[in-house]
Protein backbone atom coordinates (compact mmCIF):
# COMPACT_ATOMS: atom_id res chain seq x y z
CA UNK A 1 0.00 0.00 0.00
CA UNK A 2 1.81 3.13 -1.23
CA UNK A 3 -0.50 5.42 0.71
CA UNK A 4 0.68 3.93 3.97
CA UNK A 5 -0.68 5.91 6.91
CA UNK A 6 -1.27 9.08 4.86
CA UNK A 7 -4.73 8.41 3.47
CA UNK A 8 -7.09 5.68 2.33
CA UNK A 9 -7.89 7.52 -0.93
CA UNK A 10 -6.69 10.38 -3.14
CA UNK A 11 -8.33 12.79 -5.56
CA UNK A 12 -7.76 11.63 -9.18
CA UNK A 13 -8.52 13.28 -12.53
CA UNK A 14 -8.41 12.20 -16.17
CA UNK A 15 -6.34 14.36 -18.53
CA UNK A 16 -5.83 12.96 -22.02
CA UNK A 17 -3.69 15.94 -23.01
CA UNK A 18 -0.92 14.39 -20.91
CA UNK A 19 0.27 10.86 -21.78
CA UNK A 20 1.75 9.99 -18.38
CA UNK A 21 0.61 8.98 -14.95
CA UNK A 22 1.26 12.03 -12.75
CA UNK A 23 1.63 11.63 -9.00
CA UNK A 24 2.20 13.93 -6.03
CA UNK A 25 5.90 13.96 -5.18
CA UNK A 26 5.51 11.98 -1.97
CA UNK A 27 3.54 9.25 -3.79
CA UNK A 28 5.94 9.32 -6.76
CA UNK A 29 8.91 8.72 -4.43
CA UNK A 30 7.15 5.76 -2.87
CA UNK A 31 6.40 4.13 -6.21
CA UNK A 32 9.92 4.58 -7.56
CA UNK A 33 11.39 3.09 -4.40
CA UNK A 34 9.95 -0.27 -5.48
CA UNK A 35 10.66 -0.14 -9.23
CA UNK A 36 13.84 -1.08 -11.18
CA UNK A 37 14.41 2.46 -12.47
CA UNK A 38 17.02 5.21 -12.24
CA UNK A 39 15.62 8.71 -11.74
CA UNK A 40 17.13 12.17 -11.79
CA UNK A 41 16.06 15.23 -9.74
CA UNK A 42 15.17 17.22 -12.88
CA UNK A 43 11.71 15.56 -13.07
CA UNK A 44 12.60 13.81 -16.33
CA UNK A 45 11.11 10.33 -16.95
CA UNK A 46 12.95 7.58 -15.11
CA UNK A 47 15.13 5.17 -17.07
CA UNK A 48 14.44 1.45 -16.86
CA UNK A 49 17.41 -0.66 -15.82
CA UNK A 50 18.61 -3.42 -18.16
CA UNK A 51 16.73 -6.72 -17.98
CA UNK A 52 14.04 -5.23 -15.74
CA UNK A 53 10.95 -6.06 -17.75
CA UNK A 54 8.13 -6.85 -17.55
CA UNK A 55 7.20 -4.36 -14.85
CA UNK A 56 4.68 -5.02 -12.06
CA UNK A 57 1.02 -4.05 -11.88
CA UNK A 58 -0.41 -0.88 -10.35
CA UNK A 59 -3.67 -1.74 -8.57
CA UNK A 60 -6.37 0.59 -7.30
CA UNK A 61 -10.03 0.57 -6.35
CA UNK A 62 -12.78 3.08 -7.14
CA UNK A 63 -13.97 3.19 -3.56
CA UNK A 64 -12.50 4.15 -0.22
CA UNK A 65 -11.21 1.12 1.67
CA UNK A 66 -12.47 2.67 4.91
CA UNK A 67 -15.92 3.37 3.44
CA UNK A 68 -16.68 0.45 1.05
CA UNK A 69 -19.83 0.47 -1.10
CA UNK A 70 -22.90 -1.31 0.23
CA UNK A 71 -22.87 -4.13 -2.33
CA UNK A 72 -20.67 -7.08 -1.37
CA UNK A 73 -19.94 -7.76 -5.05
CA UNK A 74 -18.07 -4.45 -5.34
CA UNK A 75 -15.76 -4.87 -2.38
CA UNK A 76 -13.43 -7.28 -4.17
CA UNK A 77 -13.16 -5.29 -7.42
CA UNK A 78 -9.64 -3.97 -7.96
CA UNK A 79 -8.53 -2.34 -11.22
CA UNK A 80 -5.07 -3.35 -12.43
CA UNK A 81 -2.87 -1.33 -14.79
CA UNK A 82 0.36 -3.00 -15.98
CA UNK A 83 3.16 -0.45 -15.83
CA UNK A 84 4.36 -1.89 -19.14
CA UNK A 85 1.65 0.27 -20.73
CA UNK A 86 3.54 3.33 -19.46
CA UNK A 87 6.88 2.42 -21.05
CA UNK A 88 8.06 4.27 -24.15
CA UNK A 89 11.36 4.37 -26.04
CA UNK A 90 13.25 7.62 -26.47
CA UNK A 91 15.01 8.72 -29.64
CA UNK A 92 18.30 7.18 -28.49
CA UNK A 93 16.67 3.79 -27.79
CA UNK A 94 16.38 4.16 -24.01
CA UNK A 95 13.31 2.69 -22.32
CA UNK A 96 11.60 5.32 -20.15
CA UNK A 97 8.70 5.10 -17.70
CA UNK A 98 5.95 7.63 -18.31
CA UNK A 99 5.33 8.45 -14.65
CA UNK A 100 5.95 12.04 -13.60
CA UNK A 101 5.88 14.20 -10.52
CA UNK A 102 3.27 16.85 -10.03
CA UNK A 103 4.92 20.28 -9.62
CA UNK A 104 4.82 21.67 -6.11
CA UNK A 105 2.90 24.89 -5.61
CA UNK A 106 2.95 25.12 -1.84
CA UNK A 107 6.51 24.05 -1.18
CA UNK A 108 9.45 26.26 -0.23
CA UNK A 109 11.57 26.82 -3.33
CA UNK A 110 12.03 23.46 -5.02
CA UNK A 111 11.18 21.56 -1.85
CA UNK A 112 7.79 19.84 -1.74
CA UNK A 113 6.03 19.47 1.59
CA UNK A 114 6.54 16.11 3.32
CA UNK A 115 3.95 13.37 3.00
CA UNK A 116 2.57 14.02 6.47
CA UNK A 117 1.57 17.52 5.30
CA UNK A 118 0.14 16.38 1.96
CA UNK A 119 -3.29 17.71 1.08
CA UNK A 120 -5.72 16.75 -1.68
CA UNK A 121 -6.46 20.45 -2.07
CA UNK A 122 -2.91 21.01 -3.28
CA UNK A 123 -2.14 17.80 -5.17
CA UNK A 124 -3.84 15.11 -7.20
CA UNK A 125 -3.25 11.95 -9.21
CA UNK A 126 -3.66 12.36 -12.97
CA UNK A 127 -4.42 9.54 -15.39
CA UNK A 128 -2.98 10.39 -18.80
CA UNK A 129 -3.72 8.79 -22.14
CA UNK A 130 -1.21 5.94 -21.69
CA UNK A 131 -2.93 4.91 -18.44
CA UNK A 132 -6.31 4.91 -20.15
CA UNK A 133 -4.81 2.79 -22.92
CA UNK A 134 -4.76 -0.16 -20.51
CA UNK A 135 -8.41 0.33 -19.53
CA UNK A 136 -11.87 0.46 -20.98
CA UNK A 137 -13.17 3.82 -19.79
CA UNK A 138 -16.75 5.08 -19.61
CA UNK A 139 -17.59 8.69 -18.78
CA UNK A 140 -21.17 9.64 -17.92
CA UNK A 141 -21.44 13.42 -18.23
CA UNK A 142 -25.02 13.49 -17.00
CA UNK A 143 -24.21 12.41 -13.45
CA UNK A 144 -20.45 13.11 -13.59
CA UNK A 145 -19.26 9.56 -13.01
CA UNK A 146 -16.41 7.53 -14.49
CA UNK A 147 -16.16 3.78 -14.88
CA UNK A 148 -13.10 1.64 -15.56
CA UNK A 149 -12.67 -1.95 -16.63
CA UNK A 150 -9.60 -3.99 -17.47
CA UNK A 151 -9.16 -4.85 -21.11
CA UNK A 152 -7.65 -8.20 -20.12
CA UNK A 153 -8.24 -10.20 -16.97
CA UNK A 154 -6.03 -11.52 -15.64
CA UNK A 155 -3.05 -9.85 -17.28
CA UNK A 156 -0.60 -12.38 -18.77
CA UNK A 157 2.86 -12.76 -17.26
CA UNK A 158 4.38 -11.30 -20.45
CA UNK A 159 3.09 -7.82 -19.52
CA UNK A 160 2.98 -7.99 -15.73
CA UNK A 161 5.46 -9.41 -13.25
CA UNK A 162 6.83 -8.43 -9.85
CA UNK A 163 10.03 -10.44 -10.32
CA UNK A 164 12.10 -7.34 -11.07
CA UNK A 165 10.87 -5.16 -8.22
CA UNK A 166 13.50 -3.65 -5.95
CA UNK A 167 14.33 -6.01 -3.11
CA UNK A 168 13.05 -5.06 0.32
CA UNK A 169 15.54 -3.12 2.41
CA UNK A 170 17.42 -5.22 4.97
CA UNK A 171 17.14 -3.76 8.47
CA UNK A 172 19.57 -4.25 11.35
CA UNK A 173 19.56 -3.59 15.08
CA UNK A 174 16.44 -1.79 16.23
CA UNK A 175 15.49 -0.46 12.79
CA UNK A 176 11.95 -0.98 11.52
CA UNK A 177 10.98 -1.59 7.92
CA UNK A 178 8.74 1.07 6.32
CA UNK A 179 7.13 -0.59 3.32
CA UNK A 180 5.78 2.44 1.38
CA UNK A 181 9.29 3.90 0.90
CA UNK A 182 11.13 0.56 1.09
CA UNK A 183 13.50 1.90 3.73
CA UNK A 184 14.69 1.03 7.22
CA UNK A 185 13.87 3.66 9.82
CA UNK A 186 16.19 4.19 12.76
CA UNK A 187 14.77 4.03 16.29
CA UNK A 188 13.86 7.37 17.85
CA UNK A 189 16.52 7.33 20.54
CA UNK A 190 15.91 10.99 21.37
CA UNK A 191 12.62 10.00 23.00
CA UNK A 192 14.61 8.28 25.77
CA UNK A 193 16.66 10.08 28.40
CA UNK A 194 20.44 9.92 27.94
CA UNK A 195 20.21 7.65 24.86
CA UNK A 196 21.76 8.13 21.42
CA UNK A 197 21.85 6.20 18.15
CA UNK A 198 24.81 3.94 17.48
CA UNK A 199 25.30 4.40 13.72
CA UNK A 200 27.10 1.07 13.35
CA UNK A 201 24.62 -1.19 15.11
CA UNK A 202 21.56 1.06 14.60
CA UNK A 203 20.55 0.59 18.22
CA UNK A 204 19.93 2.98 21.10
CA UNK A 205 22.87 3.16 23.50
CA UNK A 206 23.91 5.39 26.36
CA UNK A 207 25.14 8.73 25.03
CA UNK A 208 28.89 9.50 25.27
CA UNK A 209 28.20 12.24 27.79
CA UNK A 210 26.40 9.79 30.07
CA UNK A 211 29.14 7.19 29.64
CA UNK A 212 31.78 9.80 30.51
CA UNK A 213 29.72 10.90 33.53
CA UNK A 214 29.38 7.31 34.77
CA UNK A 215 33.10 6.64 34.36
CA UNK A 216 33.94 9.92 36.10
CA UNK A 217 31.56 9.11 38.95
CA UNK A 218 33.10 5.66 39.41
CA UNK A 219 36.62 7.15 39.47
CA UNK A 220 35.59 9.79 42.03
CA UNK A 221 33.96 7.15 44.22
CA UNK A 222 37.03 4.92 43.94
CA UNK A 223 39.38 7.78 44.88
CA UNK A 224 37.08 8.71 47.77
CA UNK A 225 37.10 5.10 48.98
CA UNK A 226 40.92 4.94 48.89
CA UNK A 227 41.19 8.27 50.70
CA UNK A 228 38.67 7.11 53.31
CA UNK A 229 40.67 3.90 53.90
CA UNK A 230 43.89 5.88 54.40
CA UNK A 231 42.20 8.33 56.72
CA UNK A 232 40.75 5.42 58.69
CA UNK A 233 44.18 3.78 59.07
CA UNK A 234 45.79 7.07 60.10
CA UNK A 235 43.06 7.60 62.70
CA UNK A 236 43.64 4.10 64.11
CA UNK A 237 47.42 4.69 64.28
CA UNK A 238 46.93 7.99 66.10
CA UNK A 239 44.51 6.38 68.51
CA UNK A 240 46.93 3.52 69.24
CA UNK A 241 49.82 5.90 69.79
CA UNK A 242 47.74 7.98 72.15
CA UNK A 243 46.70 4.90 74.15
CA UNK A 244 50.32 3.74 74.52
CA UNK A 245 51.47 7.17 75.70
CA UNK A 246 48.75 7.22 78.25
Amino acid sequence: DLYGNISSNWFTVIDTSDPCLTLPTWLYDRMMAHLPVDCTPDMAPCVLRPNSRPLPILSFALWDSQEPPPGEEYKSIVIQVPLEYLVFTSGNGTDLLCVSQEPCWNGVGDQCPPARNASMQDSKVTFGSMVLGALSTTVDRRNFTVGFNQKVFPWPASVASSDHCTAAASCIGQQTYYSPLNICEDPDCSSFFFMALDHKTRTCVWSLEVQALLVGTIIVLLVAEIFAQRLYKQTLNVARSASRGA
Side-chain angles (χ1 to χ4, degrees):
D1 185 0
L2 296 179
Y3 285 155
N5 56 353
I6 301 301
S7 176
S8 60
N9 63 87
W10 207 259
F11 181 62
T12 304
V13 300
I14 294 175
D15 183 3
T16 55
S17 65
D18 187 346
C20 297
L21 169 65
T22 304
L23 304 173
T25 296
W26 64 270
L27 187 55
Y28 173 90
D29 291 340
R30 293 181 176 201
M31 176 180 284
M32 296 308 152
H34 294 273
L35 296 180
V37 294
D38 295 314
C39 305
T40 57
D42 59 1
M43 300 185 72
C46 297
V47 179
L48 269 66
R49 296 169 188 159
N51 303 317
S52 60
R53 301 176 68 182
L55 295 175
I57 284 175
L58 174 65
S59 301
F60 64 93
L62 297 179
W63 44 267
D64 191 332
S65 60
Q66 295 184 355
E67 298 180 3
E72 291 291 331
E73 67 273 17
Y74 297 107
K75 294 183 179 181
S76 61
I77 297 178
V78 175
I79 307 299
Q80 297 180 335
V81 176
L83 293 180
E84 281 292 320
Y85 275 76
L86 305 182
V87 176
F88 67 98
T89 304
S90 65
N92 61 5
T94 302
D95 288 337
L96 304 175
L97 184 63
C98 197
V99 178
S100 58
Q101 304 179 55
E102 185 182 45
C104 293
W105 301 107
N106 61 342
V108 179
D110 294 331
Q111 298 297 319
C112 296
R116 63 179 178 274
N117 296 332
S119 169
M120 277 187 275
Q121 295 180 346
D122 303 315
S123 62
K124 60 185 180 297
V125 175
T126 302
F127 284 0
S129 58
M130 295 181 72
V131 180
L132 299 181
L135 303 170
S136 297
T137 306
T138 301
V139 179
D140 189 339
R141 297 185 179 181
R142 292 176 297 179
N143 57 9
F144 304 102
T145 57
V146 177
F148 293 117
N149 192 21
Q150 292 179 209
K151 290 185 175 179
V152 179
F153 186 87
W155 292 103
S158 58
V159 297
S161 174
S162 58
D163 293 342
H164 304 295
C165 290
T166 303
S170 179
C171 302
I172 62 173
Q174 295 175 333
Q175 287 182 324
T176 55
Y177 179 65
Y178 185 58
S179 175
L181 278 172
N182 193 20
I183 60 173
C184 294
E185 294 184 326
D186 292 328
D188 184 13
C189 301
S190 61
S191 61
F192 302 97
F193 289 113
F194 312 123
M195 302 294 284
L197 177 67
D198 186 321
H199 292 279
K200 290 184 178 180
T201 63
R202 297 294 172 179
T203 57
C204 293
V205 297
W206 292 109
S207 64
L208 293 178
E209 293 81 2
V210 173
Q211 294 181 33
L213 179 61
L214 290 175
V215 172
T217 301
I218 293 173
I219 292 176
V220 170
L221 292 175
L222 181 61
V223 171
E225 178 68 18
I226 295 174
F227 179 77
Q229 288 290 337
R230 286 189 175 183
L231 183 61
Y232 176 71
K233 290 181 179 179
Q234 290 178 357
T235 302
L236 286 179
N237 291 334
V238 171
R240 289 171 181 173
S241 296
S243 62
R244 290 173 183 174

